[in-house]
Amino acid sequence: MESNLEREDLLIKLRSKLNEDKIKLWESPFISTGGDLSQSLQELANKYASDLKIDVNIVVDGLIELQQHSVERSKANEEFKETGCATLRIKVTGKEKSIFNVMKRLNVMGSELIDAVAEVLNVDNARLKLIFNGKVIRPTPSLKEQGVKNGIQVMALVMADNPEDVKREDDMYMQMKGTLEDASLLAECNDDIGYDSYMDLEDQTGKKIDLPMSERRSLFLGLVLHERGRTCIKKKEYSLALVLMLEADRQLSECRAQILNSVDNYGVLQLDIAWCYLCLRSLQAANDASARLARAEVAFANSYGPDHQRLIALKGTDANERVLFMRLYLMQGIVAYHQNKRALAKELLSKAERELLGLRVDEASVQTLMELGWSKSQASAGLRACGGDVDRAHHYLDEKEAARKRNRDEREQRALGLCPDGSPVDRRLIEALQGMGYSRKLAILALRNANNNVTDAVRIIQEQPELLDDSDLSEDADSSADPVESDNQLLSELISMGFEKEAAQYVLRLSRNDLVKALDLLHDKIHTEECDPDNPSTSTDSPAMRKKQKKDEKRKKKDARESAIRRLKKTIRNEEEDYLSSTLSEEEHFLAQYKSML
């Protein structure tokens, strides 16, 4: 990294000198027809070596590299005008011989470029991702439709090198596919008990943000993809993280700016993408990184207010969010350095350093809080918020956890609804009915109808299930968070009596594994069919059967959603602000490195 950075530093300085002196290396007298070093180029190298206090041989090498690049670019422009073939400069991340050109017409599909680069690199095209201007090149549509132009530089990411990495990456992609399917499923539901609260988005105060259905899916998919990308960053799998986060950015771009500005997620995503560029040593992405950092700065200003006033008013401190600003200043300084804006780079890196010094926490204090039951990230966050005072940090974390619990309880209570008399459904009574063996959702609907009277609720479930019919919970005993499955032993007994398995399972669930009731239901069904086989009520086309089929479909959907929630809870971090409590060691390394270059 250091040698590459030193090389980049040399080229930046030489480009600056060439621009100041209005030197065109691709023209006479600097270009040599015989392939040897021209006298004019040697004299220019001597001058710049003296000005910059750098060894003349190093300067010669740098000027030759810049000259070759200029000549190639000039030839590529002529070729494009004459033949329509665009020259694309491919920069392979993590490879020593990392730059080569590929020529393609811009009307070909993206897959042609992917295949051509994969052939040069001798890798499977499925393991290759091409990125330019902050976008992943897709197999379709054409390169022109995707914004590719002659002379651009494309970042090539080879996703894995050895079989273990390949398998891990394949597993990640399969998990991602399942995650996206789960997210899509949940994004479509907004009226079922328990689902809507899971899909809620909150602003900095914990207040729910109402989302139009048209944007719910894109927003949630974007947040899930970002979450996955952050997991990869933690594992230092920056290539995969970048691909996931660019897709997250594409999803979030479908949402209105006013929604994205309500939360800081969008700004954090832009910051994380720029961080991936930095960690991948992708210096050619400086312009895209600069644009993303500008968007992050605007997003944070909208979320936190001028000088963080809104944030301080809500939380009493902005200590932890300063981690974001420290990283923002650091990366803005690094980008400014690569754009040869050295005075600005120095100013921004100094701001980052001041923030970094104020964010350091004492490891002994962190350990003390961990012994009191807090996680390392919580302990770090608490200490930063309280100026390093352990007692105040413990009290701060207690209050924060209590407030979060109150907010969660209020959301859950709202989801339970109100009884006819206006009273909220009593959660303790729900638990009492669950203890009797009833499903949670059935208990909620029964108590809601019974004005929180347990006796009346049990009577409604047993004697008047039609009152719950609109909710489809009278028959849907196995669709809740605590489903009642048919008992295998009782199921075997019913099958041995000659009943069909599907019918036996159904009546066991309906009777909550009461064998006598299950047999009564089965015999009633058989008696009805034997007495009047042409009775419309027993026909598959009858209203009763259609209603049953509709309920079965609804039950399957609810079961699928419950499973989706369980899977997503494993995917999404429980630690909502752990990105604010980094050890900051990587930031310290980059800061020291770039300060030394200035």
Side-chain angles (χ1 to χ4, degrees), residues 449-517:
N449 277 271
N451 286 323
N452 282 322
N453 185 299
V454 173
T455 303
D456 287 346
V458 172
R459 180 182 55 76
I460 290 172
I461 293 172
Q462 294 179 343
E463 299 176 12
Q464 296 177 286
E466 67 276 4
L467 294 179
L468 311 179
D469 192 58
D470 288 343
S471 69
D472 191 34
L473 291 176
S474 56
E475 294 185 14
D476 195 16
D478 64 334
S479 66
S480 66
D482 302 298
V484 176
E485 296 293 340
S486 56
D487 183 274
N488 288 332
Q489 184 175 349
L490 296 179
L491 179 62
S492 298
E493 287 187 37
L494 290 176
I495 292 172
S496 68
M497 295 179 193
F499 297 110
E500 293 180 359
K501 181 179 179 180
E502 186 178 347
Q505 284 178 321
Y506 178 74
V507 295
L508 283 171
R509 287 198 299 264
L510 190 59
S511 64
R512 307 194 67 74
N513 289 319
D514 186 313
L515 185 59
V516 176
K517 287 184 180 180

Side-chain angles (χ1 to χ4, degrees), residues 105-213:
R105 291 184 179 276
L106 297 179
N107 60 357
V108 303
M109 294 295 107
S111 57
E112 276 204 35
L113 177 61
I114 296 169
D115 291 342
V117 175
E119 185 177 355
V120 173
L121 296 176
N122 194 26
V123 298
D124 185 343
N125 59 11
R127 312 221 68 79
L128 180 68
K129 300 294 180 184
L130 302 180
I131 297 170
F132 87 100
N133 197 28
K135 297 176 183 176
V136 178
I137 294 178
R138 303 186 302 279
T140 58
S142 71
L143 294 175
K144 185 176 182 180
E145 289 174 298
Q146 297 188 58
V148 176
K149 297 179 181 178
N150 176 53
I152 67 164
Q153 183 158 296
V154 177
M155 183 197 314
L157 298 179
V158 180
M159 301 307 293
D161 292 321
N162 59 63
E164 287 134 8
D165 289 340
V166 168
K167 183 180 183 307
R168 187 175 68 253
E169 243 167 48
D170 285 343
D171 289 344
M172 171 68 83
Y173 278 120
M174 290 304 295
Q175 291 170 16
M176 273 306 308
K177 184 174 181 292
T179 298
L180 293 180
E181 289 172 354
D182 289 342
S184 297
L185 179 65
L186 288 177
E188 294 168 1
C189 63
N190 63 342
D191 56 356
D192 292 317
I193 296 171
Y195 300 122
D196 191 42
S197 61
Y198 184 75
M199 292 292 298
D200 282 349
L201 186 73
E202 295 179 351
D203 62 15
Q204 289 295 318
T205 68
K207 181 181 177 182
K208 178 182 172 182
I209 299 172
D210 291 323
L211 300 176
M213 184 57 65

